[in-house]
Amino acid sequence: GVMERLGLGPEVLLQENPRLIYARLTGFGQSGKYAKSAGHDINYLALSGVLSKLGRKNENPYAPGNLLADFAGGGVLCAMGIVIALFERARSGRGQVIDASMVKGVAYLSSFLWKSQNLGLWSQPRGENLLDSGAPFYETYRTSDGKFMAVGALEPKFYNQLIKGLGLNLDELPAQMSSSDWPEMKKKFASIFAQKTQAEWCSIFDSTDACVTPVLSFDDVASHQHNKERSSFFKNDQGEIIPRPAPVLSRSPAVPSCKRDPFIGEHTEEILLEYGFTKQEIAKLHSDKAIEFKNPKANL
């Protein structure tokens, strides 16, 4: 209702411009019991049902940062909605309103979880399934130098490579999919991974299809050979390491800016002057605390 109170709701603006695409990105959506309630990523994730699936056995559910609901279910799906609306407008000539709810967005994003329940992938309690740390061959393990390796050896041919790299004999182990043996197998794998450094395990697994990779820290990720060859990260003019935009388009790839992010209010006066506001009007807006100024030179 914020935009409506300003007289800038979609009904008003679409009358002015029927081709307008009006995206409304909210946590709970434009209707429903919680529509006007405050919330954050963890709340949207909880209401979607997805949070109940995240976490280890016998532990509380945990939210993975604020990536899933805020950015994936919210920002990315909202952006996709805008692209879809633009595509549709090319045929109809008409705009429309996009109700991008983070709850519905992350629920839709999790469609795989819903559709694979009957396949046995998510039929067990949290933390006991194939992809949620239940299986010993889809897990992370600590190395002797306090780092970690990620193991995703799902298919038998990859699992065989994992077992070989660990120095074990496949014939002497329980069947890969014998879930009753998974807890003991996890202990066995953990004790073996703890005997070598991350670099040593990389030297063993990098040339194989065991689906075993290092868990790279933010400090290490840009210097890893694969990421260097792909130019996946770059430094801005402040020396900060930043991920390069993705996906990469063949004809019109994104050109990232090497400049630092602007401070809140850094360009407020500049932009308002450009739009015809007088310095007196801008000063009044600032004194009324309607706008904010930020002079970066004051921090030097």
Side-chain angles (χ1 to χ4, degrees):
V2 175
M3 297 301 285
E4 280 80 359
R5 289 196 295 275
L6 294 172
L8 298 172
E11 295 80 5
V12 174
L13 296 187
L14 281 165
Q15 284 184 353
E16 293 287 328
N17 178 9
R19 289 176 55 83
L20 184 69
I21 293 166
Y22 194 113
R24 313 196 80 165
L25 175 56
T26 60
F28 296 112
Q30 296 299 315
S31 59
K33 178 179 179 179
Y34 291 168
K36 298 184 184 300
S37 300
H40 281 294
D41 180 285
I42 194 170
N43 307 116
Y44 314 138
L45 203 58
L47 204 62
S48 74
V50 177
L51 186 56
S52 71
K53 296 290 186 182
L54 305 179
R56 293 186 175 275
K57 181 179 179 180
N58 298 326
E59 293 185 9
N60 293 358
Y62 74 88
N66 62 326
L67 297 175
L68 282 182
D70 279 356
F71 300 128
V76 173
L77 286 190
C78 182
M80 188 172 75
I82 293 170
V83 171
I84 292 169
L86 285 167
F87 183 76
E88 193 278 337
R89 189 177 70 179
R91 290 189 280 186
S92 69
R94 299 171 58 201
Q96 54 187 310
V97 181
I98 299 164
D99 178 0
S101 153
M102 295 183 197
V103 174
K104 291 186 74 170
V106 75
Y108 181 60
L109 193 69
S110 71
S111 295
F112 167 72
L113 302 184
W114 295 90
K115 292 174 182 274
S116 60
Q117 285 185 104
N118 294 333
L119 300 178
L121 292 181
W122 300 96
S123 57
Q124 299 303 312
R126 181 177 61 252
E128 298 182 24
N129 297 281
L130 189 67
L131 302 178
D132 66 356
S133 79
F137 46 86
Y138 203 87
E139 177 61 290
T140 58
Y141 293 98
R142 183 184 292 270
T143 58
S144 64
D145 53 348
K147 298 182 180 182
F148 295 89
M149 298 298 290
V151 177
L154 290 172
E155 291 80 0
K157 60 182 179 181
F158 302 149
Y159 182 72
N160 292 349
Q161 292 290 308
L162 167 66
I163 297 303
K164 182 179 178 182
L166 291 176
L168 296 172
N169 188 335
L170 191 65
D171 296 333
E172 297 174 358
L173 299 175
Q176 179 186 356
M177 302 308 271
S178 176
S179 57
S180 62
D181 293 300
W182 284 356
E184 284 303 314
M185 289 297 291
K186 286 177 72 169
K187 291 178 183 177
K188 183 184 288 287
F189 287 4
S191 67
I192 296 174
F193 272 107
Q195 295 170 18
K196 298 183 190 303
T197 65
Q198 186 187 73
E200 288 173 326
W201 285 119
C202 287
S203 68
I204 291 172
F205 285 113
D206 274 0
S207 59
T208 73
D209 276 338
C211 300
V212 178
T213 50
V215 178
L216 298 174
S217 69
F218 273 26
D219 292 332
D220 299 333
V221 67
S223 60
H224 188 273
Q225 183 180 352
H226 177 81
N227 292 330
K228 284 171 66 175
E229 291 172 358
R230 294 276 299 165
S231 300
S232 298
F233 298 85
F234 70 100
K235 283 187 178 181
N236 65 9
D237 56 12
Q238 304 290 301
E240 300 166 328
I241 294 175
I242 300 174
R244 194 171 292 275
V248 180
L249 278 62
S250 62
R251 285 192 301 102
S252 56
V255 179
S257 171
C258 288
K259 296 180 179 178
R260 63 161 173 78
D261 292 339
F263 299 118
I264 294 175
E266 181 176 346
H267 303 116
T268 300
E269 183 176 16
E270 178 183 333
I271 291 169
L272 290 177
L273 286 171
E274 184 180 322
Y275 273 83
F277 286 78
T278 66
K279 284 191 175 268
Q280 292 76 15
E281 288 172 325
I282 296 171
K284 178 68 166 56
L285 288 170
H286 185 247
S287 66
D288 291 342
K289 298 185 177 180
I291 60 174
E292 186 175 339
F293 289 151
K294 176 76 173 183
N295 184 356
K297 291 182 180 178
N299 294 328
L300 298 178

